[in-house]
């Protein structure tokens, strides 16, 4: 497996598109062909994809019908997203091999450049998850239009298309702009704005890392950063508030804590990847503390001296706890190391039993 490192700099164009009805339109024939499974067990995949769907045609209808699907996979299934990702395997190579070269050089000159530079990295990066595709490319706008045409051409082979294919959707990723992708927001700060030195994610922070490396200049603080998009952050707050709703006041305290921890843990395991996200989600601690206190006040409103009762029975070392259950803080769930998303070839080739010491060292 070849890994190409993205060395980000300005003048990148991006194409952020969604595939129309991907889960419903994906071809079963392509699934069987591209899934790396032996023929001996492929029948299991065929049985799963062709499982009958039973239900009413619409909400108003009472007639029960049975349909055997000829295309598509279940939206909420575990292996569905994996199968969808397999279908689009080869997109990066297809675009790279068909897009126009920026400079036309003689073979002799090209070989000299490759020999001198030693490593020629790709200028096109295709990031995709199921029906969400984000393409970054360092190229003129005209070339980005060509990349969109190649993407549509590639999808047409599987009877798929993107939303609004007639519109040229390539944009320049300029300072001060951002890209939203699968719940994340990729931000490119503008060093020229006065608010830069006072920004939540760009102001000078005195941390052990910054003190060691001296990362205080605007240049070192002006790199792109990742945060949770507003919609996803609002959704997790709404889920927590819904769990603490007055209608759930009958729940035992330990059950309430476990339910809330499950919501928070699921959110953090997906989103808590970078230092900027850790800074952003700290506000959840205040929300959890406030709502938990409110829930206990409602539940024990008839108890005399309720505040003293709550402090004595449910708070220990400034943490809400009851019967071996502790309400999580966002700092309790550690960020996933980013290198795991693109592990080295040595790590991929290592054996979990023979090279256990190597893997333990890498996972620290």
């Amino acid at each position: 497996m070849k890994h190409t490192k993205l060395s980000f700099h300005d003048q990148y164009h991006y194409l952020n598109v969604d595939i129309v009805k991907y889960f419903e339109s994906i071809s079963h024939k392509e699934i069987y062909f591209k899934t790396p499974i032996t023929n001996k067990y492929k029948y299991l995949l065929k049985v799963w994809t062709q499982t009958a769907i039973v239900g009413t045609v619409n909400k108003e209808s009472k007639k029960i019908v049975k349909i055997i699907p000829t295309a598509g996979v279940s939206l909420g299934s575990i292996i569905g997203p994996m199968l969808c990702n397999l279908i689009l395997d080869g997109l990066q190579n297809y675009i790279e091999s068909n897009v126009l070269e920026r400079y036309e050089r003689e073979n002799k000159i090209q070989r000299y450049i490759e020999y001198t530079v030693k490593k020629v990295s790709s200028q096109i990066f295709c990031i995709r998850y199921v029906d969400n595709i984000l393409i970054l490319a360092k190229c003129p706008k005209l070339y980005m239009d060509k990349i969109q045409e190649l993407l549509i051409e590639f999808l047409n082979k599987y009877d798929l298309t993107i939303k609004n294919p007639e519109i040229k959707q390539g944009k320049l990723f300029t300072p001060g702009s951002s890209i939203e992708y699968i719940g994340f927001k990729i931000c490119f700060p503008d060093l020229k704005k006065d608010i830069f030195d006072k920004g939540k994610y760009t102001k000078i922070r005195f941390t052990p890392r910054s003190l060691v490396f001296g990362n205080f200049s605007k240049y070192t603080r002006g790199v792109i950063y990742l945060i949770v998009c507003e919609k996803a952050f609002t959704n997790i707050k709404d889920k927590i508030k819904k769990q603490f709703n007055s209608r759930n006041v009958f729940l035992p305290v330990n059950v309430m804590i476990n339910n809330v921890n499950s919501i928070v843990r699921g959110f953090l395991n997906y989103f808590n990847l970078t230092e900027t996200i850790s800074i952003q989600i700290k506000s959840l601690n205040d929300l959890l503390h406030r709502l938990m206190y409110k829930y206990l006040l409602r539940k024990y409103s008839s108890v005399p001296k309720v505040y003293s009762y709550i402090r004595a029975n449910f708070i220990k070392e400034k943490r809400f706890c009851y019967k071996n259950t502790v309400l999580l803080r966002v700092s309790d769930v550690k960020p996933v190391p980013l290198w795991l998303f693109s592990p080295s070839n040595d790590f991929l080739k290592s054996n979990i039993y023979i090279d256990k010491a190597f893997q333990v060292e890498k996972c620290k």
Side-chain angles (χ1 to χ4, degrees):
M1 183 182 293
K2 182 181 178 182
H3 298 280
T4 304
K5 185 178 179 181
L6 171 59
S7 300
F8 185 82
H9 36 85
D10 60 359
Q11 299 304 316
Y12 264 93
H13 281 84
Y14 70 92
L15 182 66
N16 190 7
V17 295
D18 295 332
I19 302 175
V20 178
K21 295 184 179 179
Y22 189 27
F23 278 93
E24 298 91 331
S25 307
I26 184 173
S27 169
H28 287 176
K29 184 179 179 181
E30 292 295 335
I31 290 176
Y32 307 148
F33 177 73
K34 287 204 169 184
T35 302
I37 188 173
T38 61
N39 292 330
K40 182 179 179 180
Y41 300 108
K42 196 162 286 188
Y43 78 95
L44 294 171
L45 192 60
K46 292 181 179 179
V47 171
W48 180 79
T49 53
Q50 297 175 12
T51 302
I53 301 172
V54 181
T56 57
V57 179
N58 50 55
K59 293 182 179 180
E60 291 76 20
S61 176
K62 295 183 179 180
K63 184 180 178 181
I64 304 296
V65 295
K66 180 180 178 181
I67 301 173
I68 304 296
T70 57
V73 295
S74 176
L75 183 61
S77 61
I78 297 174
I79 66 173
M82 179 197 70
L83 296 175
C84 292
N85 285 334
L86 287 173
I87 295 299
L88 296 185
D89 185 41
L91 174 61
Q92 170 102 18
N93 292 336
Y94 182 82
I95 293 176
E96 285 183 342
S97 59
N98 291 281
V99 75
L100 299 172
E101 293 287 346
R102 181 178 297 184
Y103 304 110
E104 294 184 0
R105 304 184 180 98
E106 296 180 4
N107 291 337
K108 184 177 180 180
I109 299 175
Q110 182 66 27
R111 285 197 301 271
Y112 174 76
I113 292 172
E114 293 179 4
Y115 174 77
T116 307
V117 178
K118 300 294 184 183
K119 180 181 178 182
V120 179
S121 59
S122 171
Q123 296 296 306
I124 301 173
F125 300 88
C126 296
I127 307 165
R128 56 185 177 82
Y129 179 72
V130 193
D131 58 344
N132 305 106
I133 299 177
L134 174 63
I135 300 177
L136 287 169
K138 184 169 177 61
C139 62
K141 178 67 167 64
L142 180 64
Y143 284 52
M144 203 65 203
D145 296 340
K146 176 63 177 177
I147 290 174
Q148 180 175 331
E149 293 174 7
L150 291 171
L151 171 61
I152 296 172
E153 186 179 301
F154 180 84
L155 294 176
N156 285 342
K157 295 192 296 185
Y158 306 105
D159 297 323
L160 300 169
T161 188
I162 63 174
K163 293 181 181 177
N164 304 318
E166 68 283 352
I167 301 175
K168 301 300 182 183
Q169 302 180 46
K171 298 178 182 178
L172 181 63
F173 195 25
T174 56
S177 61
S178 60
I179 306 171
E180 290 193 6
Y181 184 69
I182 56 173
F184 293 95
K185 190 174 183 180
I186 308 167
C187 303
F188 190 0
D190 189 352
L191 281 67
K192 296 180 180 180
K193 288 189 176 181
D194 296 335
I195 199 175
F196 178 83
D197 290 324
K198 302 177 183 178
K200 186 176 182 179
Y201 310 107
T202 55
K203 65 183 180 182
I204 296 176
R205 295 181 182 277
F206 295 98
T207 62
R209 180 183 176 85
S210 63
L211 291 172
V212 170
F213 294 101
N215 297 336
F216 302 117
S217 68
K218 281 191 173 183
Y219 180 78
T220 55
R221 290 181 287 122
V223 296
I224 60 171
Y225 59 86
L226 198 67
I227 58 174
V228 183
C229 73
E230 186 177 348
K231 183 179 179 181
F233 201 45
T234 302
N235 285 342
I236 186 60
K237 290 181 180 179
D238 291 341
K239 282 184 179 180
I240 295 172
K241 290 176 183 177
K242 187 176 181 180
Q243 181 60 42
F244 279 116
N245 192 282
S246 58
R247 289 176 293 184
N248 293 330
V249 74
F250 68 91
L251 291 175
V253 177
N254 59 321
V255 174
M256 175 62 80
I257 290 176
N258 284 330
N259 291 348
V260 174
N261 284 350
S262 178
I263 296 171
V264 173
R265 192 180 293 110
F267 173 81
L268 295 177
N269 284 335
Y270 180 80
F271 284 104
N272 195 15
L273 300 178
T274 63
E275 183 181 356
T276 49
I277 291 178
S278 298
I279 294 170
Q280 180 189 19
I281 61 180
K282 280 183 180 178
S283 61
L284 289 179
N285 286 334
D286 296 332
L287 178 68
L288 290 167
H289 183 90
R290 188 174 68 253
L291 293 178
M292 187 65 189
Y293 220 118
K294 191 174 182 180
Y295 155 77
L296 292 173
L297 288 173
R298 283 175 178 161
K299 190 172 183 66
Y300 299 101
S301 58
S302 60
V303 177
K305 297 183 179 179
V306 62
Y307 290 97
S308 299
Y309 179 80
I310 290 173
R311 286 194 295 270
N313 293 277
F314 302 107
I315 298 178
K316 185 178 180 181
E317 297 179 358
K318 299 182 179 180
R319 302 288 296 269
F320 284 105
C321 54
Y322 184 69
K323 290 185 178 180
N324 297 323
T325 58
V326 182
L327 186 65
L328 286 176
R329 290 176 179 169
V330 294
S331 58
D332 295 332
V333 181
K334 301 302 180 184
V336 178
L338 284 177
W339 70 266
L340 284 174
F341 290 89
S342 183
S344 64
N345 290 326
D346 292 336
F347 185 85
L348 292 172
K349 292 177 182 178
S350 63
N351 184 284
I352 191 172
Y353 301 106
I354 301 174
D355 307 310
K356 190 173 182 179
F358 171 75
Q359 291 202 352
V360 170
E361 181 66 26
K362 281 289 184 181
C363 291
K364 285 182 179 180

